[in-house]
Amino acid sequence: MTERLFIFDTTLRDGEQSPGASMTQEEKVRIARQLERLRVDVIEAGFPAASPGDFAAVQAVARAIKNSTVAALARATENDIKLAGEAIRSARSGRVHTFIATSPIHMEKKLRMQPAQVIEHAVKAVKWARGYSDDVEFSPEDAGRSEPDFLCRVLEAVINAGAKTLNIPDTVGYSMPHQFGNLIRQLRERIPNSDKVVFSVHCHNDLGLAVSNSLSAVLAGARQVECTINGLGERAGNASLEEIVMAVRTRQDVFPCDTRIDTTQIVPASKLVSGITGFPVQPNKAIVGANAFAHESGIHQDGVLKSRETYEIMRAEDVGWGANKLVLGKHSGRNAFKNRLTELGIELPSEEAVNSAFQRFKELADKKHEIFDEDLQALVTDEAVANVQEHYKLISMRVHSETGEKPNARIVISEDGVERRSDAEGSGPVDASFKAIENMVASGAELLLYSVNNITKGSDAQGEVTVRLTKGGRIVNGQGADTDIVVASAKAYISALNKLHSKLTRTHPQV
Ligand code: KIV
Ligand code: ZN
């Protein structure tokens, strides 16, 4: 019989550690609900000791989710574990995930601890964690560069202390697939009580090997994979959930296990995470890239028309392409609108918020006749951005662009309630708009990325714009959506400025 492969999604924790990918509590709950629809086994909701906001977000996810386990991360300290344990208290099924580094370089340079002290801390941490949940996971950080003999000692000790899952991270993405598979095999064979736990892996993608390393570990007996939607994560990211799940599902002749993932929810999850974080998906990305199922060459098109298996190993509809439903139009009423939001797992905080979102929906339906699920998600993200970070607000804009003329923009914003306006010229309408905004705000931030994606098909589709700004070592992503991409661009620029502003005021309250 096929064994179960558990999927542990860490989009909300490791994924959020991508520079600029921070999410609000409402956005985290929305993504968590989509992960639940995807049927992931464990949702790592955050790192409660990082900040009160992280604590509250983990708590909110723990309350909202019923069919997946909700995990919280904690260093191997009593305070971290207490916060993690309290944050998941109301979860129907909650897990504390604690970690400490075990590689020589991390123990010596970062922790400044002797190996024996690390074992002592690891054991204590697992025992503290068991005080909050029977479901405790332990990770020896930087296991990929740790000595196998030492790893065996630490892991044997934490199993005896009550850990139920041992997660082996390749924290810096250094391992090669055959090495990493061998490491998992060795640990399973050499640790006397290894049959009492589930072996898990958590691979980073610094050498582009996160998925290969994870799959090699699965072949060596790992039965949990930690991964993220779109491969989001620290630096080059984590193993991508969609690639792991589809590799295992498509090659059941190779893998002795399978996940319980509902693969038709993969593309909606990818679009939701990309829309909320502002990290666009590259077109040639496996499974979820716009070109993943597109055939360009005549030979391929001809083959697919004759028999799709000639060039397709998966069906686009099985991973959720084309699942975007035409849901509503301009004649749809408030109830239909509210019901569809509920079906998408979107809960607005008040009737007032529903009314305001409905008003925006009507405005959108006037411009764009067919409204899809993705449009509703973008509308809610836009609404949340507009409501939460309101230091700067776009009031109105007028942009002029004509052949042979220099484009110019007039923008009116409010800054802390005070209305301001400015005109600027630019090399294009977007450049002119950004310059007009900068004239007023003088942020001095550097533009790192500007990208536009169409949310749905057709020339009347909404454009979803991401603007990434950096200043003083901080990186933020702003998002905006509109059927007019110049307006979406101005909204995205202002959203990024608001995030920079709120980060600055958090660290320097006098700003
Ligand atoms: O990469 C890593 O080692 C981690 C651990 C906390 C699991 O993210
Ligand atoms: Zn990690």
Side-chain angles (χ1 to χ4, degrees):
M1 213 178 77
T2 308
E3 284 179 57
R4 170 91 161 266
L5 177 62
F6 293 94
I7 292 294
F8 177 118
D9 180 280
T10 182
T11 307
L12 300 179
R13 198 279 296 169
D14 213 314
E16 204 199 20
Q17 287 172 218
S18 314
S22 62
M23 304 165 219
T24 64
Q25 179 174 313
E26 184 277 327
E27 289 167 341
K28 285 188 179 179
V29 171
R30 200 141 41 101
I31 291 177
R33 289 211 167 98
Q34 177 59 26
L35 294 172
E36 189 178 35
R37 265 195 294 278
L38 192 59
R39 291 165 50 88
V40 308
D41 299 285
V42 187
I43 298 171
E44 188 164 54
F47 184 11
S51 71
D54 276 55
F55 179 91
V58 175
Q59 239 183 358
V61 171
R63 288 195 183 116
I65 297 302
K66 302 287 170 253
N67 299 318
S68 307
T69 295
V70 176
L73 185 69
R75 286 166 296 193
T77 69
E78 198 166 4
N79 188 51
D80 269 34
I81 290 166
K82 176 171 172 280
L83 290 168
E86 282 171 2
I88 55 151
R89 203 199 320 259
S90 40
R92 191 176 274 181
S93 162
R95 173 179 297 186
V96 176
H97 175 193
T98 184
F99 71 99
I100 189 164
T102 50
S103 63
I105 182 166
H106 276 228
M107 290 191 290
E108 187 193 327
K109 307 271 188 231
K110 185 181 84 172
L111 298 176
R112 302 210 170 104
M113 279 186 199
Q114 294 301 317
Q117 288 175 292
V118 168
I119 299 186
E120 201 183 308
H121 275 73
V123 166
K124 271 196 196 150
V126 169
K127 287 188 176 158
W128 284 322
R130 282 296 300 261
Y132 294 93
S133 173
D134 287 343
D135 187 353
V136 172
E137 172 170 327
F138 173 80
S139 293
E141 192 192 6
D142 203 16
R145 293 189 298 171
S146 301
E147 284 162 5
D149 287 353
F150 181 60
L151 272 182
C152 287
R153 282 172 52 211
V154 179
L155 296 176
E156 184 179 349
V158 296
I159 298 174
N160 289 332
K164 293 282 162 59
T165 304
L166 298 185
N167 176 50
I168 313 301
D170 184 23
T171 303
V172 290
Y174 182 70
S175 300
M176 293 290 126
H178 69 288
Q179 287 176 330
F180 199 61
N182 281 339
L183 175 65
I184 301 300
R185 195 169 294 109
Q186 253 194 77
L187 296 176
R188 291 184 60 229
E189 283 168 7
R190 291 181 50 193
I191 299 171
N193 42 6
S194 67
D195 58 327
K196 300 210 167 33
V197 291
V198 173
F199 274 81
S200 166
V201 287
H202 173 113
C203 296
H204 278 272
N205 206 28
D206 300 67
L207 292 172
L209 294 171
V211 169
S212 308
N213 283 338
S214 306
L215 294 177
S216 173
V218 171
L219 289 174
R223 286 295 174 267
Q224 175 179 285
V225 175
E226 301 200 354
C227 43
T228 57
I229 302 292
N230 300 337
L232 212 63
E234 189 83 51
R235 305 181 310 279
N238 287 74
S240 109
L241 178 147
E242 55 278 9
E243 293 177 24
I244 300 283
V245 166
M246 289 315 292
V248 171
R249 182 73 48 95
T250 307
R251 297 305 307 269
Q252 280 290 290
D253 55 327
V254 172
F255 293 95
C257 52
D258 199 4
T259 67
R260 60 160 202 166
I261 293 293
D262 174 358
T263 59
T264 61
Q265 293 296 329
I266 285 179
V267 169
S270 162
K271 290 191 173 186
L272 179 64
V273 169
S274 157
I276 285 179
T277 58
F279 275 64
V281 175
Q282 76 196 54
N284 56 334
K285 163 89 176 62
I287 323 290
V288 293
N291 292 349
F293 292 87
H295 299 278
E296 176 64 19
S297 91
I299 296 174
H300 286 207
Q301 286 172 351
D302 179 54
V304 169
L305 286 175
K306 286 176 177 148
S307 166
R308 69 196 281 172
E309 289 80 22
T310 50
Y311 287 101
E312 277 186 10
I313 57 165
M314 295 166 279
R315 297 183 333 156
E317 54 272 36
D318 289 348
V319 297
W321 281 108
N324 60 343
K325 285 200 212 135
L326 167 61
V327 281
L328 301 166
K330 70 190 274 183
H331 300 297
S332 306
R334 188 179 175 283
N335 268 348
F337 172 74
K338 200 176 164 194
N339 283 344
R340 190 59 199 158
L341 291 187
T342 310
E343 281 164 16
L344 288 172
I346 301 171
E347 266 173 30
L348 295 176
S350 61
E351 282 307 299
E352 216 179 12
V354 175
N355 290 342
S356 148
F358 182 61
Q359 177 62 35
R360 288 170 79 123
F361 158 74
K362 282 287 183 187
E363 285 162 19
L364 180 63
D366 266 343
K367 295 190 234 163
K368 180 178 189 293
H369 298 303
E370 300 172 326
I371 308 282
F372 295 86
D373 287 344
E374 288 92 332
D375 289 311
L376 293 183
Q377 296 279 15
L379 186 138
V380 173
T381 302
D382 225 35
E383 181 88 0
V385 166
N387 288 340
V388 174
Q389 303 134 354
E390 78 267 83
H391 185 71
Y392 303 111
K393 259 193 160 74
L394 177 65
I395 306 282
S396 65
M397 62 188 287
R398 196 211 61 198
V399 181
H400 185 79
S401 183
E402 191 179 333
T403 324
E405 299 278 322
K406 222 167 164 109
N408 62 69
R410 164 167 296 178
I411 309 264
V412 183
I413 62 166
S414 80
E415 181 176 354
D416 239 358
V418 179
E419 213 165 284
R420 310 181 56 185
R421 68 189 57 220
S422 176
D423 293 274
E425 289 186 337
S427 58
V430 172
D431 186 44
S433 307
F434 288 4
K435 284 188 171 134
I437 297 169
E438 261 312 303
N439 281 347
M440 297 179 269
V441 170
S443 75
E446 186 190 339
L447 180 67
L448 290 183
L449 174 132
Y450 169 77
S451 87
V452 190
N453 282 301
N454 50 331
I455 294 180
T456 54
K457 287 192 187 126
S459 56
D460 69 345
Q462 290 195 84
E464 188 171 47
V465 174
T466 300
V467 164
R468 186 172 302 158
L469 297 180
T470 180
K471 188 178 180 189
R474 294 182 179 82
I475 299 180
V476 292
N477 279 318
Q479 294 101 285
D482 202 282
T483 47
D484 180 330
I485 58 165
V486 186
V487 174
S489 304
K491 284 184 182 174
Y493 196 84
I494 288 174
S495 141
L497 288 173
N498 276 320
K499 287 187 180 172
L500 260 188
H501 179 83
S502 77
K503 283 201 172 192
L504 279 175
T505 42
R506 251 185 276 146
T507 38
H508 308 287
Q510 75 277 15
V511 172

